[in-house]
């Protein structure tokens, strides 16, 4: 049975009314538009969160080093432990003071504290937190060492540097929050306080 051309034209070719109806139909447009902007929007939100955490951690480190360094500046490290015979703060106690001041956002096991002193500003040379291979620089002294041996006496110029391995940066690798130069391992955050101790003697 042969189909007429008129019938085929009606079935296969849309009429003008059908074409207008199809082009005017906007069902699903919102879903398509959302699909186009969803990924950039989510990346933007993650970037904002990452930078927020970065600045929060940096601020915590800066507050910790400023608060702890005040003990050196005023000479309180020489009368920190009245129960001990030496009556002086140790390197380990100073490091704990830095961590306590910085707050719970800081993992003390990943924090290095470097203390330098000199008679003049020219004798102080800031130390990098990583060596040429990207490994963390060594911290000042041993836990039981007397801090005054590294922080100097009254009227000394002192530089206290904090080096912190921030593991959370690995979760925001696209944002590059303070990563090592070679891009491997956790980010290294640094905070420092430079000052001249008061003439407390």
């Amino acid at each position: 049975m042969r189909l007429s051309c008129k019938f085929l034209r009606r079935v296969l070719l849309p009429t003008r009314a059908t074409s207008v109806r199809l082009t005017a139909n906007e069902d699903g447009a919102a879903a398509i538009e959302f699909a186009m902007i969803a990924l950039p929007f989510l990346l933007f939100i993650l970037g904002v969160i990452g930078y927020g955490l970065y600045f929060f951690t940096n601020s915590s480190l800066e507050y910790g080093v400023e608060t702890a360094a005040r003990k050196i500046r005023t000479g309180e490290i020489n009368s920190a432990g009245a129960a001990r015979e030496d009556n002086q703060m140790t390197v380990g106690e100073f490091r704990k003071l830095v961590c306590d001041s910085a707050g719970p956002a800081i993992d003390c096991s990943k924090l290095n504290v470097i203390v330098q002193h000199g008679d003049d500003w020219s004798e102080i040379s800031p130390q990098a937190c990583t060596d040429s291979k990207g490994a963390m620089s060594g911290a000042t002294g041993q836990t039981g060492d007397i801090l005054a041996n590294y922080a100097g006496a009254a009227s000394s110029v002192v530089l206290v540097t904090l080096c912190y391995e921030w593991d959370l940066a690995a979760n925001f690798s696209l944002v590059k929050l303070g990563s090592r130069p070679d891009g491997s391992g956790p980010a290294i955050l640094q905070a420092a306080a430079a000052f001249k101790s008061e003439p407390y003697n």
Side-chain angles (χ1 to χ4, degrees), residues 24-127:
N25 190 349
E26 295 184 0
D27 291 346
I32 293 172
E33 290 169 357
F34 179 76
M36 291 170 61
I37 67 167
L39 183 60
F41 177 73
L42 290 176
L43 289 176
F44 173 75
I45 293 298
L46 286 175
V48 170
I49 292 171
Y51 274 111
L53 291 172
Y54 172 78
F55 284 113
F56 175 74
T57 306
N58 248 344
S59 297
S60 298
L61 288 174
E62 289 172 5
Y63 181 77
V65 72
E66 286 291 340
T67 302
R70 192 175 295 117
K71 300 284 187 182
I72 298 175
R73 185 165 49 244
T74 59
E76 292 180 63
I77 61 170
N78 296 318
S79 57
R84 295 199 314 271
E85 291 181 6
D86 54 36
N87 204 31
Q88 292 189 351
M89 181 178 284
T90 64
V91 170
E93 289 170 335
F94 182 73
R95 187 170 175 275
K96 185 178 185 306
L97 177 62
V98 171
C99 287
D100 292 344
S101 301
I106 302 302
D107 182 358
C108 286
S109 65
K110 301 181 183 302
L111 180 69
N112 278 359
V113 180
I114 304 168
V115 182
Q116 305 172 61
H117 78 278
D119 296 327
D120 189 77
W121 290 104
S122 62
E123 297 180 17
I124 299 293
S125 57
Q127 182 173 337

Side-chain angles (χ1 to χ4, degrees), residues 9 19 51 68 95 145 149 152 155 177 184 190 196 199:
R9 192 180 301 117
S19 300
Y51 274 111
R95 187 170 175 275
D145 291 350
N149 295 336
S155 301
L177 298 171
S184 63
Q190 182 173 342
K196 186 169 185 178

